[in-house]
Each structure stands twice: as structure tokens, then as C-alpha cells.
Amino acid sequence: MTIRIALIDDQELFRAGIAMVVSSQPDLEVVGQADDGADAVSVVREHNPDLVLMDVRMPRLDGVAATRELVTALGDRAPKVLILTTFDLDEAAADAIDAGASGFILKDTQPELLLATIRAVAQGTQVVAAGATKALFERFRSRRTDAPGDEFGRLTAREREILLQAAKGLSNNEIAAAEYLSEATVKTHISRILTKLGLRDRVQLVVYAYEHGLI
């Protein structure tokens, strides 16, 4: 299955380089490009990508606002958003995750890591952040709210265990080994957890866990 990708970045040369790297892979395809976040929704509507590579800083509409606009306009049909940032722990990138992005990665990362990150985010199998996962989610923990509501009570005991493992950043394979389950069973549990909690993806699951003091 080919992963369809849209590139949103105001640097034409950078976009060309990323497009070249991505298009070299048989399972990845660049289907649309734009030089500003203001065009993100129209590009997504026209090309229907699975994932958007989004620059966090752009002149008219930045990546945070563009991500929020995508999620608001398209809801469950919105593609995954992977934020491209220059700094390891970028407040704007953290804001983008809060707005609905599925992760962020450094612009100068090695091509192999970029490609692996694109695949991971598209598959929704792990939390991806630019080497600063713990520091990033400490930010969300700092604004911790009350204990989780009734939605948390709908989780089974096993689902709560898996939620905590996923919130610590463990992959499906690692959770499967820890809980003595198959990876397919873990994927099913994760899907049910997201549905019951009304969350879009694993990144939002981690934010939920930190905000409600579960870890």
C-alpha cells in the first residue's frame, strides 16, 4: 500500500529535496505541494494524502494554525500531520501536537530516519517526536487537569494497562512482549482505547495520560 504525502513548506529547495528522498521509495508518493499553510486544506481536499509533512514556521499561516484548520475542517478524515521543525524541542511544534499533529521531526534529520518516521506516523504504530518525547509531554503534564471522566471508566482493566504502556512510548511490539499478547491483539486494543476516549491517535493518547495524571 502506497503512503500518499503532501508537502507544505515555504522553502522551495527544501521541498524539492524532501520530495526527491520520499519519491525514491516504492511505498511512498508525493501527491501535492504548497508553500504556505494557508493552502493546506485545499491541497488535502484535492489530493487526499495519508500524511502531511508540515513546516512549523511559514509566512502567512504557520504549521500550528494550518494543522488546527485541517483537523477542524476535515475531522476524522484529516490526514496525519508530521511537523518539520528546526529546533529539538520547539514550543511551536508542541503547540502543533496540541492542535492535532501526530509528531514532529527535525528538518536536518537523516533521510533514513525521516522515511522511517513517515511510515510510523502513517501507520499510527508509535509516538514520534524529535528526540524530546519526555520533555515534550512534561509540558502537557504541567497543565494537568482533574482525574479522567466517565470515558476512562469505559475501558477494561486490560485496556487501561495497555493505555499506560502506550503512554510511556512503548511500541505495539514492546507492549505485546510485556503483556504476553500478540501484536495484532495490541493493535485492536489501541484502536478500541482511542475510540472509547474519543482520541485521534497515539500522540493524543499520550497527551491524555499526562494531562489526567495517569503517568
Side-chain angles (χ1 to χ4, degrees):
M1 178 177 165
T2 300
I3 300 171
R4 296 165 55 82
I5 299 164
L7 303 178
I8 313 293
D9 193 290
D10 63 324
Q11 296 179 331
E12 185 174 355
L13 187 59
F14 179 79
R15 281 203 324 273
I18 293 296
M20 185 179 300
V21 170
V22 170
S23 298
S24 70
Q25 303 299 299
D27 61 329
L28 305 178
E29 179 185 6
V30 175
V31 296
Q33 299 187 39
D35 61 4
D36 194 86
D39 299 319
V41 173
S42 61
V43 168
V44 167
R45 288 189 188 278
E46 180 179 355
H47 298 287
N48 193 32
D50 303 300
L51 181 144
V52 176
L53 280 175
M54 181 90 73
D55 186 16
V56 74
R57 289 183 170 83
M58 291 176 283
R60 285 196 298 160
L61 192 71
D62 64 27
V64 177
T67 298
R68 186 174 292 110
E69 188 173 287
L70 275 174
V71 173
T72 300
L74 302 177
D76 292 339
R77 296 181 295 109
K80 304 283 188 182
V81 176
L82 177 60
I83 293 293
L84 298 166
T85 179
T86 306
F87 305 104
D88 196 19
L89 183 56
D90 191 334
E91 284 294 310
D95 287 338
I97 285 183
D98 200 21
S102 296
F104 66 91
I105 191 167
L106 291 175
K107 278 191 164 187
D108 62 355
T109 193
Q110 292 297 313
E112 294 79 8
L113 178 57
L114 172 64
L115 296 171
T117 300
I118 288 172
R119 294 183 177 104
V121 171
Q123 295 169 2
T125 58
Q126 65 185 50
V127 173
V128 179
T133 304
K134 184 175 185 295
L136 171 67
F137 291 110
E138 284 290 337
R139 163 188 165 145
F140 293 110
R141 187 169 70 174
S142 69
R143 65 185 196 199
R144 181 180 296 171
T145 60
D146 294 332
D150 294 339
E151 76 285 347
F152 184 72
R154 292 195 288 270
L155 300 182
T156 66
R158 172 67 83 180
E159 288 169 347
R160 293 184 187 188
E161 292 174 2
I162 291 175
L163 182 153
L164 294 179
Q165 298 277 34
K168 294 175 183 176
L170 272 65
S171 67
N172 286 350
N173 186 52
E174 291 168 332
I175 295 173
E179 299 291 332
Y180 302 101
L181 298 170
S182 70
E183 190 170 352
T185 299
V186 173
K187 288 181 180 179
T188 299
H189 279 305
I190 292 291
S191 179
R192 289 174 178 168
I193 292 167
L194 295 176
T195 298
K196 289 181 180 181
L197 298 182
L199 304 174
R200 292 184 70 243
D201 54 32
R202 291 173 70 114
V203 172
Q204 297 302 312
L205 182 153
V206 178
V207 172
Y208 177 94
Y210 270 87
E211 286 187 334
H212 293 292
L214 300 178
I215 56 174

